[in-house]
Amino acid sequence: MLRRRVEAGPDGLRFRTVLRWRRLKWDEIVRLEDLRVAAADPRLRHQNLRVAATLHDGSTIWLPVPWVGAADIRDFEKQLSQLRALHHRYARSTRGS
């Protein structure tokens, strides 16, 4: 079964959508933003939480995970904090080399 996922390491983000893998180097990313997205079904009155990477060229890449409901906000914030810490650590170290 194909699953969505995000892997983060010293070289950047590697993520899988339904159809393919994609890579983003840390120095391509300006910031990682948390966004609230309305549920796909308009009858539901909750929002989902998503992460988007804003790139230097101004484009935005939506990451496939984490994608959670508002009830799971603590786990979401923890995962986003970890991604931001990795971005801060590795983007800084690649700029000087």
Side-chain angles (χ1 to χ4, degrees):
M1 177 155 201
L2 298 175
R3 298 183 67 187
R4 297 174 182 184
R5 69 181 196 192
V6 174
E7 298 172 353
D11 297 330
L13 294 176
R14 181 174 178 247
F15 55 96
R16 180 171 182 82
T17 60
V18 175
L19 299 175
R20 67 183 187 128
W21 282 98
R22 178 145 187 209
R23 290 183 185 271
L24 285 175
K25 293 184 178 183
W26 290 120
D27 58 358
E28 293 178 78
I29 301 170
V30 175
R31 69 181 163 275
L32 296 164
E33 302 178 67
D34 56 323
L35 303 167
R36 295 181 187 269
V37 180
D41 186 341
R43 296 173 292 170
L44 301 175
R45 299 195 185 274
H46 71 275
Q47 295 180 328
N48 292 315
L49 304 171
R50 298 271 322 258
V51 174
T54 302
L55 307 182
H56 285 284
D57 66 5
S59 61
T60 300
I61 306 293
W62 293 82
L63 300 181
V65 291
W67 173 304
V68 299
D72 302 315
I73 196 163
R74 285 194 179 120
D75 289 336
F76 175 82
E77 288 175 344
K78 181 180 175 185
Q79 291 177 39
L80 180 56
S81 177
Q82 291 170 342
L83 280 176
R84 285 179 172 156
L86 286 168
H87 176 243
H88 181 74
R89 176 180 178 189
Y90 291 118
R92 240 177 152 183
S93 66
T94 58
R95 282 186 205 131
S97 41

